[in-house]
Amino acid sequence: MAAPPPIFSKAITGLERVAFSNSLCCLLKELEGHRTTIELRNEVEVTGLVDHVDGLMNIHLSDVTYRTPHRTTVERFETMHVHGRQMRFVHIPDQINMARAIAKQLDTQRPDQKKFGNRKQPRYLEKKRAERERILAEHAAKSATQDTDKVGQATETGS
């Protein structure tokens, strides 16, 4: 008997890739397989095992404990989906080194850049830097000649 297909796709869209690299969403991705607590905007606490985190910070949890404010009711669910916009805080477990986790997740997202040549080559950067310096030098020379012309005109009219 064949194993069932995975529920979550491992492929990420371009929008998710940008969200991973420009936010701390990459840190949440490292929480997959760990038990954590998420505080929602309506002051509800959700504790569970993180199954999947996508690029828009949506989190899928299993074996979930749902606590309402002031811990008045506690409910258990097999699975739960938490929308990224509804989260206020995510508790990071102590065993996760945050700096290492961020670096690891960013490195796993970057192989495409090497493959498609999105990384700028050193010669290209040097050429751009030299062009920028040339433009700044021309601008400085123009403003210096304009300043000397104004000074010359002021001395002629002042005599």
Side-chain angles (χ1 to χ4, degrees), residues 141-157:
K142 277 185 186 178
S143 63
T145 57
Q146 289 175 353
D147 289 343
T148 57
D149 289 345
K150 288 180 183 176
V151 171
Q153 291 173 356
T155 55
E156 288 174 11
T157 57

Side-chain angles (χ1 to χ4, degrees), residues 87-139:
M87 290 187 282
R88 180 176 289 155
F89 300 111
V90 177
H91 296 256
I92 307 295
D94 291 335
Q95 65 263 25
I96 292 181
N97 181 340
M98 288 192 268
R100 192 176 305 140
I102 292 170
K104 176 184 169 189
Q105 288 299 321
L106 289 177
D107 287 344
T108 60
Q109 298 301 320
R110 289 193 181 132
D112 294 8
Q113 291 180 349
K114 294 176 187 170
K115 185 166 119 184
F116 295 113
N118 291 339
R119 294 183 65 194
K120 295 187 175 165
Q121 301 298 323
R123 277 186 254 136
Y124 171 80
L125 294 175
E126 289 172 14
K127 189 191 291 185
K128 281 296 193 184
R129 197 172 295 123
E131 183 180 341
R132 201 174 308 122
E133 288 174 6
R134 180 185 57 79
I135 291 170
L136 288 173
E138 287 176 4
H139 181 68

Side-chain angles (χ1 to χ4, degrees), residues 11-158:
I12 62 172
T13 64
L15 179 65
E16 289 177 327
R17 185 173 288 119
V18 169
F20 269 122
S21 60
N22 292 333
S23 69
L24 289 176
C25 188
C26 58
L27 178 60
L28 294 180
K29 186 75 173 164
E30 191 64 24
L31 291 177
E32 289 181 352
H34 290 89
R35 189 163 204 69
T36 190
T37 301
I38 301 169
E39 293 180 29
L40 305 180
R41 290 170 55 186
N42 61 357
E43 299 182 14
V44 168
E45 285 185 4
V46 178
T47 303
L49 183 67
V50 179
D51 289 331
H52 179 71
V53 177
D54 65 15
L56 303 174
M57 289 179 51
N58 300 320
I59 298 179
H60 300 272
L61 301 162
S62 61
D63 190 29
V64 179
T65 304
Y66 180 91
R67 289 187 195 97
T68 57
H70 311 295
R71 303 187 191 279
T72 55
T73 48
V74 176
E75 296 182 40
R76 294 199 174 273
F77 298 100
E78 269 186 45
T79 60
M80 180 177 277
H81 171 82
V82 179
H83 193 273
R85 292 186 57 119
Q86 296 303 318
M87 290 187 282
R88 180 176 289 155
F89 300 111
V90 177
H91 296 256
I92 307 295
D94 291 335
Q95 65 263 25
I96 292 181
N97 181 340
M98 288 192 268
R100 192 176 305 140
I102 292 170
K104 176 184 169 189
Q105 288 299 321
L106 289 177
D107 287 344
T108 60
Q109 298 301 320
R110 289 193 181 132
D112 294 8
Q113 291 180 349
K114 294 176 187 170
K115 185 166 119 184
F116 295 113
N118 291 339
R119 294 183 65 194
K120 295 187 175 165
Q121 301 298 323
R123 277 186 254 136
Y124 171 80
L125 294 175
E126 289 172 14
K127 189 191 291 185
K128 281 296 193 184
R129 197 172 295 123
E131 183 180 341
R132 201 174 308 122
E133 288 174 6
R134 180 185 57 79
I135 291 170
L136 288 173
E138 287 176 4
H139 181 68
K142 277 185 186 178
S143 63
T145 57
Q146 289 175 353
D147 289 343
T148 57
D149 289 345
K150 288 180 183 176
V151 171
Q153 291 173 356
T155 55
E156 288 174 11
T157 57

